[in-house]
C-alpha cells in the first residue's frame, strides 16, 4: 500500500483556498456564511494566541468550547502548531477529563467540574488582530509520528480506549478522502454526531478539497421544511435517520441532490426505503471504526436481501476473514474480521493489554464477525464477544433483532443474553414500543421465525435502548437493565401455593394432557408438592442471584471508576 505524500497541516490547505478562491464559502452556520478568506484569517488569529502559550508538543490540550465555529478554530490552530487536542463535552466533562488526562484545558466558560491543571479562558477577542502581542509565526515542521488528535474508541462493551491520531494517520485518511470524486469544491458536508472519528475526517476532508461544512444550528426537519438546509452530504447514525424519516410527512418528495451517510449500525430496510421516499436521493451505509477509519461503503442496501451487508471494501483497505486458528477462510465463510491499512492506528494509548488483544502482526481486529464475497463485498453479522449460546443455539443479537423488527409498532429493539440461576444464557429483548404495538404479535412472529423452536423469549419494555453516540447498542447496560427488572418482577410475583392452585381449579399439563389438580391421587399430589418446593427454592435463588448480579455490577463500576481516577494501585 502506497503511503500518502508528506503534507503540511489542514491550515495549509485552507490558506491555499483562501488565496485562490477567497470568496468561496467555507463554513455555513444558520444564516451566517464564512468565506475561506475569513476562515483562514480567523484560524491564523487563534493560532497566534495558541503559539503564544509556548505549549510543548508532548502536551495534550482539552477543548471545552461550546460555539462550534470557535471550537473548530482552536482545534485547527492546535493542529497547526503540532499540539495534540481532544474535544470535551460539558455534559460528561468530569469523566472525559479523568479518561484523557489533559495537561491543559481551553474553555469558553467555567468547567463546573474539578480539574487539577491550568484552565485558560477562550474569549471572543481571540479573533481580534494584535500583531504586537501575537505576531505571525512560521509553521513548524511536524514529524510523521507527532500526535495531532486524541479520541476514544466506541467499543460496545467495557471502557472505551484512548486512540491517538498521528500526523501520518491524519495524512493517510485525508488523502483517501481527497481521492473520492464526490469530495470536491461543490460539496457541503454536515455531521449530526459532533466531532467524533469517522465523520471528523469527512469534515476536514471537505475543507481540504475546498468544499464547505455546515454546522448543525437547528433541527434538520425544520431546516428541510424551511428549505434552509445547504448540506449536500449529511452524516448521522441509524437512530437519527429513523427518527428523522418518521417525522417527515409521507407525501414529502426527497431532495435528489442530498446524500445521507449512515454509520454505527445496520439500517433496517423499512427505514432505508422511507429515507429514499421522503429525504434524500441517495442513502449510503458507512462501516468503519475509530482505529481503522472507513472500511466499506454500501451505496444501495436495497440491492442486497441479506442483513448486514456493509458494502465493498474501500481502496487501500485490506480486509480478511479468519477462523479460530487465525487462518483466512474462503469466500462466504463466516469468521472474525481483521483489517490492515496505512491509515490504521497501531496501538491504544497507555493500554498494552488492549493493544495486544486488538493489534497483532500488523492487523487490527475490530471484534466483528462477518464474511467476504469473492468480489470484496463485506457482510458484518455481529460481534465476536456477543455470540449467545441459547440452549445450544449459537446466535448473534443482530439475527434476533432482524427477525423481530418485522413486527409492527416497534420503535427500537435490542437483544442480549442474561444468565439464569443455572448459568445458562436466557434470551431477552429490550423493546421501545410505538403506536400499534402488540406483544402477542411479537411473540407470534418469534414462534414463526426460523430459529429453533421452543426458545423462550423474555421482553423488557424501556423508554430508550442504551446506545453510544454512533448508535451502537451498549449491551452491557441493557443486560444490567434486564437484571434489575428481573429481580423486581420476581419479587413482585411470588409463586402460588399448591392449595391455591387446587382451589382455583388449575390443571397440570403432563405429556400434552391437562389433568385437574384436585383430581390427583395422594401420591401424585405429594410428588407435585415436592416439585413446587423445588420451584419455590429456585424462585428464591433467582431473586438472590439477581441481587448478586446487581452487586457485582456495582463493584465492577467502582473498579472502573478507580481505574479512571488512577487510584486502583497502591502508592
Amino acid at each position: 500500500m502506497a503511503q500518502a505524500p508528506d503534507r503540511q497541516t489542514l491550515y495549509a490547505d485552507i490558506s491555499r483556498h483562501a488565496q485562490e478562491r477567497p470568496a468561496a464559502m467555507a463554513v455555513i452556520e444558520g444564516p451566517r456564511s464564512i468565506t475561506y478568506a475569513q476562515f483562514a484569517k480567523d484560524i491564523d488569529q487563534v493560532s497566534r494566541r495558541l503559539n503564544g502559550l509556548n505549549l510543548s508538543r508532548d502536551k495534550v490540550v482539552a477543548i471545552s468550547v461550546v460555539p462550534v465555529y470557535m471550537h473548530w478554530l482552536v482545534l485547527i490552530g492546535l493542529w497547526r502548531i503540532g499540539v495534540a487536542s481532544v474535544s470535551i463535552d460539558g455534559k460528561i466533562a468530569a469523566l472525559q477529563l479523568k479518561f484523557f488526562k489533559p495537561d491543559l484545558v481551553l474553555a469558553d466558560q467555567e468547567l463546573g467540574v474539578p480539574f487539577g491543571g491550568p484552565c485558560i479562558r477562550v474569549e471572543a477577542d481571540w479573533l481580534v488582530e494584535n500583531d504586537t502581542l501575537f505576531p505571525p509565526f512560521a509553521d513548524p515542521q511536524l514529524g510523521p509520528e507527532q500526535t495531532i488528535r486524541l479520541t476514544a474508541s466506541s467499543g460496545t462493551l467495557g471502557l472505551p480506549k484512548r486512540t491517538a491520531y498521528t500526523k501520518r494517520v491524519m495524512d493517510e485518511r485525508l488523502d483517501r478522502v481527497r481521492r473520492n470524486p464526490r469530495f470536491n469544491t461543490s460539496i457541503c458536508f454536515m455531521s449530526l454526531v459532533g466531532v467524533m472519528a469517522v465523520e471528523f475526517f469527512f469534515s476536514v476532508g471537505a475543507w481540504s478539497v475546498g468544499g464547505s461544512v455546515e454546522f448543525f444550528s437547528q433541527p434538520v426537519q425544520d431546516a428541510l421544511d424551511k428549505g434552509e438546509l445547504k448540506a449536500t452530504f449529511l452524516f448521522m447514525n441509524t437512530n437519527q435517520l429513523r427518527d428523522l424519516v418518521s417525522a417527515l410527512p409521507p407525501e414529502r418528495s426527497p431532495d435528489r441532490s442530498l446524500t445521507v451517510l449512515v454509520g454505527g449500525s445496520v439500517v433496517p430496510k423499512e427505514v432505508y426505503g422511507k429515507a429514499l421516499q421522503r429525504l434524500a436521493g441517495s442513502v449510503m451505509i458507512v462501516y468503519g471504526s475509530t482505529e481503522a477509519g472507513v472500511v466499506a461503503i454500501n451505496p444501495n442496501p436495497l440491492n442486497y436481501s441479506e442483513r448486514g451487508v456493509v458494502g465493498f471494501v474501500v481502496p487501500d483497505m485490506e480486509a480478511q476473514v479468519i477462523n479460530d486458528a487465525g487462518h483466512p477462510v474462503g469466500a462466504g465463510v463466516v469468521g472474525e474480521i481483521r483489517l490492515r491499512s496505512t491509515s490504521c492506528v497501531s496501538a491504544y494509548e497507555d493500554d498494552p493489554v488492549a493493544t495486544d488483544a486488538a493489534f497483532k502482526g500488523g492487523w487490527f481486529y475490530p471484534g466483528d464477525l462477518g464474511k467476504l464475497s469473492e468480489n470484496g463485498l463485506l457482510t458484518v453479522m455481529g460481534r465476536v464477544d456477543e455470540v449467545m449460546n441459547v440452549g445450544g443455539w449459537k446466535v448473534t443479537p443482530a439475527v434476533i433483532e432482524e427477525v423481530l423488527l418485522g413486527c409492527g409498532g416497534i420503535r427500537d429493539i435490542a437483544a442480549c443474553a442474561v444468565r439464569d440461576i443455572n448459568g445458562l444464557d436466557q434470551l431477552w429483548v429490550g423493546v421501545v414500543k410505538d403506536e400499534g404495538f402488540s406483544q402477542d404479535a411479537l411473540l407470534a412472529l418469534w414462534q414463526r421465525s426460523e430459529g429453533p423452536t421452543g426458545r423462550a423469549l423474555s421482553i423488557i419494555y424501556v423508554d430508550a435502548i442504551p446506545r453510544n453516540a454512533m448508535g451502537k447498542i451498549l449491551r452491557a447496560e441493557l443486560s444490567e437493565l434486564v437484571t434489575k427488572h428481573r429481580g423486581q418482577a420476581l419479587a413482585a410475583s411470588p409463586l402460588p401455593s399448591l392449595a391455591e392452585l387446587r382451589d382455583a381449579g388449575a390443571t397440570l399439563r403432563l405429556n400434552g394432557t391437562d389433568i385437574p389438580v384436585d383430581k390427583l391421587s395422594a401420591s401424585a399430589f405429594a410428588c407435585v408438592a415436592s416439585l413446587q418446593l423445588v420451584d419455590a427454592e429456585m424462585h428464591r435463588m433467582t431473586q438472590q442471584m439477581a441481587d448478586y448480579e446487581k452487586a457485582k455490577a456495582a463493584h465492577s463500576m467502582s473498579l472502573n471508576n478507580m481505574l479512571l481516577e488512577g487510584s486502583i494501585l497502591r502508592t
Side-chain angles (χ1 to χ4, degrees):
M1 298 180 185
Q3 290 191 345
D6 184 48
R7 302 176 58 88
Q8 292 299 311
T9 64
L10 175 65
Y11 173 70
D13 288 333
I14 293 172
S15 181
R16 175 170 51 84
H17 297 316
Q19 295 172 8
E20 297 174 354
R21 303 166 51 247
M25 290 300 108
V27 175
I28 300 171
E29 188 172 25
R32 178 188 182 200
S33 295
I34 299 167
T35 64
Y36 265 98
Q38 186 65 51
F39 193 28
K41 180 181 179 182
D42 289 345
I43 295 172
D44 184 50
Q45 292 304 317
V46 172
S47 299
R48 295 187 192 191
R49 294 271 184 164
L50 295 171
N51 190 57
L53 297 177
N54 297 315
L55 301 171
S56 63
R57 294 186 195 163
D58 60 347
K59 301 300 183 183
V60 174
V61 176
I63 308 173
S64 179
V65 177
V66 175
V68 180
Y69 182 62
M70 181 61 85
H71 192 113
W72 271 108
L73 294 179
V74 174
L75 191 160
I76 298 172
L78 289 168
W79 184 350
R80 180 186 179 190
I81 65 175
V83 176
S85 70
V86 58
S87 295
I88 297 297
D89 184 343
K91 297 176 182 177
I92 53 173
L95 180 63
Q96 288 180 316
L97 291 172
K98 290 178 182 178
F99 181 69
F100 287 107
K101 299 179 175 63
D103 302 287
L104 167 72
V105 174
L106 297 173
D108 66 329
Q109 55 189 329
E110 293 295 329
L111 277 179
V113 296
F115 177 63
C119 182
I120 297 176
R121 182 67 66 92
V122 176
E123 304 284 3
D125 65 0
W126 278 37
L127 299 180
V128 177
E129 291 187 54
N130 191 330
D131 291 350
T132 302
L133 291 178
F134 307 103
F137 63 94
D139 287 14
Q141 291 293 320
L142 306 181
E145 298 309 312
Q146 174 66 45
T147 299
I148 302 297
R149 183 81 174 147
L150 282 179
T151 188
S153 67
S154 55
T156 57
L157 295 175
L159 290 173
K161 301 162 186 66
R162 286 194 297 170
T163 306
Y165 294 144
T166 62
K167 182 179 182 297
R168 175 188 60 80
V169 171
M170 301 284 268
D171 287 348
E172 292 286 348
R173 296 197 186 180
L174 271 180
D175 188 60
R176 178 188 291 176
V177 174
R178 280 189 292 263
R179 285 185 277 112
N180 187 328
R182 289 174 174 262
F183 273 70
N184 50 53
T185 56
S186 64
I187 191 173
C188 182
F189 179 79
M190 174 189 273
S191 171
L192 302 187
V193 294
V195 187
M196 301 288 288
V198 173
E199 64 283 0
F200 168 83
F201 287 98
F202 287 138
S203 293
V204 298
W207 284 320
S208 182
V209 300
S212 58
V213 175
E214 183 175 7
F215 296 152
F216 180 67
S217 59
Q218 63 176 320
V220 173
Q221 183 185 354
D222 292 349
L224 289 169
D225 291 342
K226 299 173 185 176
E228 296 176 353
L229 185 71
K230 305 297 191 301
T232 57
F233 271 70
L234 197 57
F235 187 95
M236 64 184 73
N237 63 42
T238 301
N239 279 353
Q240 290 171 326
L241 177 64
R242 184 198 60 227
D243 292 344
L244 178 57
V245 299
S246 297
L248 293 175
E251 66 276 9
R252 185 184 187 277
S253 298
D255 180 352
R256 300 295 179 187
S257 64
L258 179 63
T259 295
V260 174
L261 305 175
V262 188
S265 58
V266 176
V267 179
K269 291 192 182 303
E270 179 186 2
V271 173
Y272 184 87
K274 288 181 179 179
L276 292 178
Q277 293 167 6
R278 309 173 187 177
L279 176 61
S282 176
V283 180
M284 298 184 179
I285 309 300
V286 179
Y287 168 66
S289 70
T290 300
E291 298 86 348
V294 176
V295 175
I297 297 177
N298 184 350
N300 192 354
L302 291 182
N303 285 347
Y304 309 100
S305 58
E306 185 174 6
R307 187 181 192 272
V309 176
V310 295
F312 292 96
V313 178
V314 299
D316 297 330
M317 177 65 66
E318 186 178 358
Q320 284 187 351
V321 177
I322 59 172
N323 57 22
D324 292 342
H327 302 306
V329 299
V333 178
V334 177
E336 182 176 3
I337 297 170
R338 67 181 181 184
L339 307 166
R340 182 165 62 185
S341 172
T342 53
S343 64
C344 285
V345 302
S346 57
Y348 295 119
E349 290 287 290
D350 304 323
D351 196 337
V353 174
T355 295
D356 290 343
F359 301 92
K360 306 172 188 176
W363 292 91
F364 167 58
Y365 292 73
D368 290 331
L369 283 175
K371 60 183 179 180
L372 266 172
S373 69
E374 292 182 354
N375 61 349
L377 185 68
L378 181 63
T379 301
V380 177
M381 310 181 76
R383 300 280 299 173
V384 173
D385 50 12
E386 288 181 354
V387 175
M388 304 181 295
N389 188 343
V390 184
W393 178 39
K394 293 185 178 180
V395 62
T396 62
V399 172
I400 306 298
E401 292 154 6
E402 179 182 11
V403 170
L404 299 182
L405 275 172
C407 178
I410 293 179
R411 184 169 185 79
D412 200 6
I413 193 168
C416 68
V418 179
R419 291 188 174 180
D420 61 16
I421 60 172
N422 299 311
L424 302 176
D425 281 349
Q426 182 182 17
L427 183 59
W428 282 82
V429 290
V431 174
V432 180
K433 294 186 288 187
D434 207 346
E435 185 177 350
F437 174 78
S438 166
Q439 178 171 300
D440 291 341
L442 181 65
L443 294 175
L445 176 62
W446 172 245
Q447 293 300 322
R448 297 194 306 269
S449 69
E450 296 179 358
T453 58
R455 306 297 179 198
L457 179 70
S458 300
I459 305 171
I460 176 175
Y461 297 106
V462 295
D463 294 329
I465 299 296
R467 295 178 181 268
N468 65 17
M470 279 303 298
K472 293 182 179 178
I473 298 169
L474 302 172
R475 300 196 193 275
E477 292 188 15
L478 179 61
S479 297
E480 290 180 12
L481 288 175
V482 168
T483 300
K484 181 179 180 180
H485 163 82
R486 186 174 59 181
Q488 291 174 343
L490 286 171
S493 56
L495 294 173
S497 68
L498 188 58
E500 290 173 331
L501 291 174
R502 180 180 57 192
D503 294 341
T507 60
L508 171 69
R509 170 158 289 195
L510 190 62
N511 291 332
T513 302
D514 291 330
I515 304 172
V517 173
D518 60 356
K519 301 296 185 183
L520 293 174
S521 66
S523 56
F525 191 90
C527 187
V528 172
S530 298
L531 284 173
Q532 194 186 41
L533 286 174
V534 174
D535 282 342
E537 181 61 16
M538 292 180 66
H539 184 272
R540 183 192 64 79
M541 292 172 64
T542 299
Q543 295 182 64
Q544 192 175 46
M545 181 62 71
D547 292 337
Y548 287 154
E549 288 175 344
K550 184 177 180 181
K552 178 181 177 182
H555 292 314
S556 297
M557 183 173 294
S558 296
L559 282 173
N560 286 337
N561 290 335
M562 292 179 194
L563 181 62
L564 287 173
E565 295 167 356
S567 61
I568 198 168
L569 299 176
R570 284 187 307 182
T571 57

